[in-house]
Amino acid sequence: MFSTILVANRGEIAIRIMRACREMGIKSVAVFSEADAKAQHVRYADQTFLLGPAPAAESYLVFDKVIEAAQHAGAEAIHPGYGFLSENPAFARKVKRAGLVFIGPKPDTIKLLGDKTAARKRMIEAGVPVVPGTEEPAADLEEVRALARDMGYPVLLKAAAGGGGKGMRVVREAGELDRSYRLARYEAASAFSDDRIYLEKYIERPRHIEVQVIADTKGRTVHLGERECSIQRRHQKVVEECPSAIVDEEMRERLGQAAVKAAKSANYLNAGTVEFLVDRERNFYFLEVNTRLQVEHPVTEMVTGIDLVREQIRVAAGLPLSFTQQDISWRGSAIECRIYAEDSANNFMPSVGCIRSYREPGGPGVRVDSGLAAGDEVTVYYDPLIAKLLCWGGDRDQAIARMKRALEEYLITGVKTGIPLLRQVMSHESYVDADISTHFIEDNMRVLLEKPAVSQYELETLSVLACAFDYQAQKCRQKALCAPRNSSWKAEKRRKAIDRF
Ligand code: ADP
Ligand code: ADP
Ligand code: MG
C-alpha cells in the first residue's frame, strides 16, 4: 500500500480524499494556490505545497508543478479528485512516466471516453443503447443543417469534448440553427479548446440516471447501482439520490449490466460513472462516461456502505476490490443537496465574498462534506461549491424529511446560497412524489424562488446573531463617544459612526 498520496485538488473533494487516506494510515499531501493559503484542505493535510497564483491555469492545472510536488513530498500516487486534471489523459500519462501512480483509469481509457463521439461509437459496437445522434462531429453548418433535418427537431448540439454542462445548445427549429451552432462552437472552443460539435436527438423531459462502476486489476468489474440526478440547473446537477424511485430490481440489473459492458468495452480500471438518459417509457440510453470520482458519489456510499475512495486507492495499489458483485446490497435511501454559493434568482450566478457565519447541521442520518468554514472566501477563481449535504433514511420519505430538517438547521451568512431553493425542492409535491425530470427546476422556477417559511429554530439563531451584532455595535458606539475630540477628520468619522448606530 502507498505510504503517501498527493491530492491534486481543493475544497470538499480534497478533504474527502484525505479523510480516506487518514483512515488507511496513508499520509496526505495538499497542493494549493496563493488564494488558498489558508484553505481547509491545506489545514487538513500532513504536508502542503504552494503551486502558484490563484488562476487554476497557473496553479492546480500545471502538470509539472503538481508532479514535482509529489516527488518532493515522497508520494507514490496522485489522486486527482473531480474537475481540474481528473479527466486529462496527458496528465495521467505524465504521472505514470514520472514513476508515480495516477489514481484513476488508464490514460487511453480517459482519452477514448473523453471524446463523446468516440465513446458513443464504442458503445454502439459493444451493444449498449445510446441516445440517437451522429457518430462523427459535423464538418460545417451545411452538414449540421442536413443532419438536423433528417433527425427531426428538436436537436441538441453538443461539444465532442464537453463536460460540466458546457457547450450544449437545444435547437427547436431550423431558424435557430445557425446562431446556436455558432454559439455552441464558440463556447466549446473557449471551455475545452476544441470546437468540434455533434448532434443528439433532444429527449423531452428525460430523467438522468447513472450507474457507479469500479474495476480492479484482477479482472473484476462491478456496478454499485444507480443514482438519479434529474434535479439540474443549466444542465448541472444540484440534487442527487440513490436509489432512483423509478428503478426496480429488474431495471437495476439491466442498467448495471449495460454499465459493466460499457466499462469493459473501454478496458476500464478504477471508479467511473456511466450516465444514461431515461425516457417516459423507462427506456434508457447511454449518455457518457465520467472517468473519475463523481461529485455525488457519497449517496452510493451511504446506501451500499462501501467507501469508494478507499476502494479507488486499493485498486490503484494493485489490490483486489474488497467485495464482489454478490456482496453488494442497497439499504434505505440517500439524497445529496449541493450547497453552492449562488444567487438562485439571478440565473444561479456565483455569489462571491466572505462567509461570515457558518453552522452545519447534524443528527441522525446526516453527512456534510464541506470545504469552507466561517471566515473563508468564495472567490471567482474556483467552483463556488461550499459543501454537499447528504441525508440517509430507511426509505425516501425519511431521507426527504431529514433533508428538510437539515436544510433548516444549516446556517450560512455572508454569501447567498441555494439553501432556500433546495428547501422548496424538498417540499414540492412533484419532488416528493418522485415525478421529476431534468426540467424540474426550470418548470417550477416561480414556486421554487418563493422564500421558505422561517422556522422557529432559524428565528432563534438569527436573534442570537442579532444580539452579537448589537453587542459589537454598542462597543463601537462607546469607542466613538470616548474618542479624543481634536482632529476634524476624526470628528467626522466619529459622527458617522454614531449616526450608523
Ligand atoms: P458530476 O458529473 O461529478 O456531478 P459535474 O458535471 O457537475 O460533476 O462536474 C464536476 C466538476 O468538474 C465541476 O466543477 C465541473 O465544473 C467540472 N468539470 C466537469 N467536466 C469538465 C470539463 N470537461 N472541463 C472542465 N471542467 C469540468
Ligand atoms: P456533460 O458532459 O456536460 O455532463 P452530458 O452529456 O452528461 O454532458 O449531459 C448533461 C445533461 O444535459 C444531462 O444530464 C441532461 O440533463 C442534458 N442532456 C444531455 N444530452 C441530452 C439529450 N440528448 N436530450 C436531452 N437532454 C440532454
Ligand atoms: Mg455528464
Side-chain angles (χ1 to χ4, degrees):
M1 186 38 73
F2 309 120
S3 66
T4 308
I5 292 177
L6 180 136
V7 182
N9 217 299
R10 64 182 299 286
E12 67 85 17
I13 196 62
I15 298 172
R16 161 70 189 96
I17 296 161
M18 291 176 196
R19 282 182 163 143
C21 291
R22 191 158 291 178
E23 288 175 19
M24 296 172 83
I26 300 169
K27 294 250 175 289
S28 55
V29 184
V31 287
F32 64 101
S33 71
E34 282 163 10
D36 277 340
K38 291 190 198 135
Q40 300 304 317
H41 78 282
V42 178
R43 296 174 191 217
Y44 197 90
D46 297 305
Q47 281 189 72
T48 65
F49 280 88
L50 173 67
L51 291 175
E58 295 170 47
S59 48
Y60 293 104
L61 294 176
V62 184
F63 293 12
D64 292 341
K65 286 191 184 171
V66 173
I67 292 171
E68 259 169 46
Q71 286 170 329
H72 213 263
E76 301 100 337
I78 298 184
H79 196 308
Y82 55 71
F84 290 140
L85 298 169
S86 62
E87 292 177 284
N88 191 318
F91 177 70
R93 208 166 277 133
K94 208 150 190 193
V95 169
K96 209 172 162 191
R97 270 200 219 118
L100 302 167
V101 176
F102 177 80
I103 303 179
K106 298 184 195 84
D108 288 346
T109 307
I110 301 177
K111 185 160 194 291
L112 171 78
L113 298 174
D115 182 331
K116 290 193 183 198
T117 48
R120 283 164 54 82
K121 247 196 231 164
R122 179 64 62 91
M123 295 310 143
I124 294 168
E125 285 161 19
V128 178
V130 305
V131 177
T134 59
E135 280 185 39
E136 299 287 344
D140 51 26
L141 180 64
E142 281 318 301
E143 194 185 338
V144 173
R145 201 173 279 143
L147 290 166
R149 201 174 41 231
D150 293 349
M151 203 180 288
Y153 290 91
V155 297
L156 188 61
L157 302 179
K158 289 175 82 166
K166 292 182 206 112
M168 223 181 286
R169 293 263 154 189
V170 186
V171 188
R172 297 208 165 265
E173 53 184 46
E176 296 170 6
L177 195 64
D178 195 342
R179 184 167 174 271
S180 298
Y181 179 61
R182 262 190 291 122
L183 285 172
R185 274 186 64 177
Y186 174 77
E187 221 173 278
S190 48
F192 316 113
S193 312
D194 178 347
D195 68 352
R196 291 174 307 138
I197 299 291
Y198 75 103
L199 277 83
E200 274 179 21
K201 179 75 193 154
Y202 185 64
I203 299 177
E204 297 283 1
R205 299 199 150 55
R207 298 173 84 120
H208 175 117
I209 295 181
E210 60 186 33
V211 179
Q212 176 72 54
V213 293
I214 188 161
D216 63 18
T217 51
K218 315 290 174 196
R220 189 186 287 165
T221 306
V222 301
H223 75 86
L224 283 86
E226 81 287 358
R227 295 185 281 261
E228 171 151 9
C229 319
S230 296
I231 309 298
Q232 306 182 346
R233 45 121 181 83
R234 299 198 297 197
H235 303 302
Q236 285 176 337
K237 304 155 188 171
V238 273
V239 179
E240 301 99 338
E241 54 188 275
C242 174
S244 162
I246 63 153
V247 174
D248 54 17
E249 238 171 84
E250 181 268 335
M251 189 175 173
R252 178 163 310 120
E253 184 60 26
R254 282 192 295 124
L255 274 166
Q257 280 180 12
V260 167
K261 206 184 321 178
K264 283 187 170 161
S265 80
N267 202 9
Y268 209 88
L269 179 68
N270 217 296
T273 298
V274 186
E275 297 189 330
F276 297 94
L277 287 184
V278 179
D279 68 15
R280 300 270 112 190
E281 283 75 48
R282 289 167 80 230
N283 299 307
F284 59 83
Y285 306 95
F286 170 85
L287 194 57
E288 65 160 344
V289 183
N290 289 324
T291 53
R292 57 176 157 86
L293 186 66
Q294 202 97 343
V295 176
E296 58 274 19
H297 75 277
V299 287
T300 300
E301 296 187 320
M302 289 180 107
V303 171
T304 61
I306 290 168
D307 182 330
L308 277 163
V309 178
R310 178 171 178 269
E311 295 302 323
Q312 280 197 295
I313 294 172
R314 283 176 57 91
V315 164
L319 295 172
L321 285 168
S322 62
F323 54 87
T324 66
Q325 187 70 64
Q326 284 68 42
D327 294 335
I328 300 168
S329 60
W330 293 271
R331 189 169 154 263
S333 179
I335 302 174
E336 171 180 286
C337 282
R338 297 192 191 187
I339 312 295
Y340 281 105
E342 67 185 14
D343 184 355
S344 311
N346 188 11
N347 198 24
F348 303 97
M349 284 286 282
S351 171
V352 296
C354 177
I355 297 188
R356 297 211 171 277
S357 45
Y358 183 84
R359 194 201 46 218
E360 286 178 353
V366 177
R367 165 173 169 179
V368 187
D369 280 19
S370 57
L372 291 165
D376 290 346
E377 290 270 336
V378 177
T379 71
V380 294
Y381 298 109
Y382 317 111
D383 207 57
L385 183 69
I386 297 173
K388 304 183 312 206
L389 170 59
L390 294 120
C391 290
W392 181 91
D395 57 23
R396 188 170 183 269
D397 289 340
Q398 191 185 27
I400 293 176
R402 282 183 168 161
M403 185 57 85
K404 282 166 79 166
R405 185 262 297 167
L407 285 166
E408 268 185 34
E409 288 177 12
Y410 217 146
L411 180 93
I412 304 174
T413 65
V415 291
K416 287 191 172 143
T417 75
I419 291 175
L421 182 124
L422 291 164
R423 286 177 60 188
Q424 294 291 11
V425 171
M426 291 300 134
S427 306
H428 198 287
E429 202 184 328
S430 303
Y431 181 77
V432 174
D433 293 344
D435 179 14
I436 51 178
S437 81
T438 57
H439 289 235
F440 175 84
I441 288 191
E442 206 181 311
D443 288 348
N444 297 292
M445 203 53 195
R446 197 183 47 78
V447 180
L448 297 178
L449 281 180
E450 281 169 17
K451 271 211 161 58
V454 179
S455 67
Q456 187 58 37
Y457 187 63
E458 272 181 294
L459 266 180
E460 277 170 23
T461 310
L462 287 173
S463 64
V464 169
L465 272 178
C467 286
F469 281 135
D470 197 47
Y471 176 72
Q472 280 297 333
Q474 258 184 39
K475 278 206 328 205
C476 287
R477 197 185 295 131
Q478 275 166 3
K479 222 165 137 186
L481 289 171
C482 301
R485 296 151 190 264
N486 41 20
S487 86
S488 62
W489 72 267
K490 267 193 184 157
E492 177 68 8
K493 214 171 137 193
R494 196 168 55 234
R495 217 174 19 253
K496 275 194 186 142
I498 295 169
D499 284 351
R500 241 199 326 268
F501 301 113

